[in-house]
Amino acid sequence: SYNAVLSSVLARDDGGSLFNKLLAEMRQKGVQMDEITYNLAISTQAGDAEAAKRFLEELRGSGLEATVRTFNPLISACAESREWQEALGFLAEMDGSQIRPDTMTCNRLISVCDSWELALCLAAEEMKARHIAADEATLVTLLSSCAQGKQWALAMHLFDSGLSGVAMPVSVRLANALLGACGKAGQ
């Protein structure tokens, strides 16, 4: 199927040029895109939230429903282009469509935040309210936000106790993120 080929190409094609050629060929032959095809197309739009949104509108125009797997790459596209308000708008849209965000959604939202305060609030309040468990990527992303804000003490606290008060097993990624936060603050 085209989706299997597109997925395979996407995994190997950094620039997305071959993916786009195959997508154009698919359209030229009149092959209908499904949700998976649209989600793959959206995921190729890193850094171009407008292009990603056009695929979302096309998906909806074809009568298909967006899912969490549609919104996650949309939010990633916003993260790449630093459009945190747009990303939060997608969260509100998910809520309006009764699409439940997952840990990946929250991690991507945290990564788009332009301040450590907003990132921490999103992680602590939104994830808790939605009963979404934090994972290692959540903590690494928060530690990176702390690094940007030179909040080494907060980074140490998060590293020691985790987001929910339960420490996560130490990994190289977590240790590097903590070192980065301390280093940026001159500690």
Side-chain angles (χ1 to χ4, degrees):
S1 82
Y2 269 100
N3 286 340
V5 172
L6 288 170
S7 184
S8 176
V9 165
L10 186 58
R12 290 188 222 118
D13 185 23
D14 289 338
S17 59
L18 182 55
F19 180 92
N20 290 330
K21 285 178 187 174
L22 288 170
L23 193 59
E25 177 184 310
M26 210 176 130
R27 289 176 183 222
Q28 186 179 32
K29 291 183 177 183
V31 176
Q32 286 287 304
M33 291 175 62
D34 61 14
E35 179 202 332
I36 294 168
T37 315
Y38 282 110
N39 293 347
L40 289 169
I42 291 167
S43 70
T44 66
Q45 305 305 313
D48 191 350
E50 291 304 314
K53 287 189 284 186
R54 284 192 296 275
F55 279 116
L56 173 65
E57 293 309 314
E58 195 176 316
L59 173 138
R60 288 180 170 150
S62 69
L64 297 170
E65 298 276 330
T67 67
V68 70
R69 290 185 179 189
T70 308
F71 281 99
N72 284 346
L74 280 164
I75 292 168
S76 288
C78 293
E80 295 278 332
S81 55
R82 307 303 301 163
E83 298 180 32
W84 65 271
Q85 292 168 321
E86 186 80 34
L88 290 176
F90 285 132
L91 178 63
E93 198 171 325
M94 289 174 76
D95 288 341
S97 299
Q98 297 184 352
I99 298 169
R100 188 178 190 286
D102 59 15
T103 303
M104 186 180 291
T105 310
C106 293
N107 290 347
R108 289 174 177 184
L109 284 166
I110 292 166
S111 72
V112 78
C113 294
D114 67 347
S115 72
W116 65 269
E117 297 98 338
L118 183 57
L120 187 61
C121 179
L122 185 68
E125 301 301 322
E126 288 291 324
M127 290 180 81
K128 184 178 181 181
R130 296 168 186 274
H131 306 287
I132 298 172
D135 62 9
E136 180 187 53
T138 309
L139 196 50
V140 166
T141 305
L142 284 171
L143 292 174
S144 295
S145 292
C146 289
Q148 295 303 317
K150 298 183 179 176
Q151 298 296 314
W152 68 272
L154 177 57
M156 291 289 292
H157 173 73
L158 288 170
F159 183 83
D160 285 341
S161 63
L163 188 59
S164 62
V166 178
M168 290 189 186
V170 176
S171 69
V172 172
R173 283 181 66 204
L174 282 172
N176 285 338
L178 177 63
L179 289 172
C182 292
K184 281 237 180 177
Q187 297 297 316

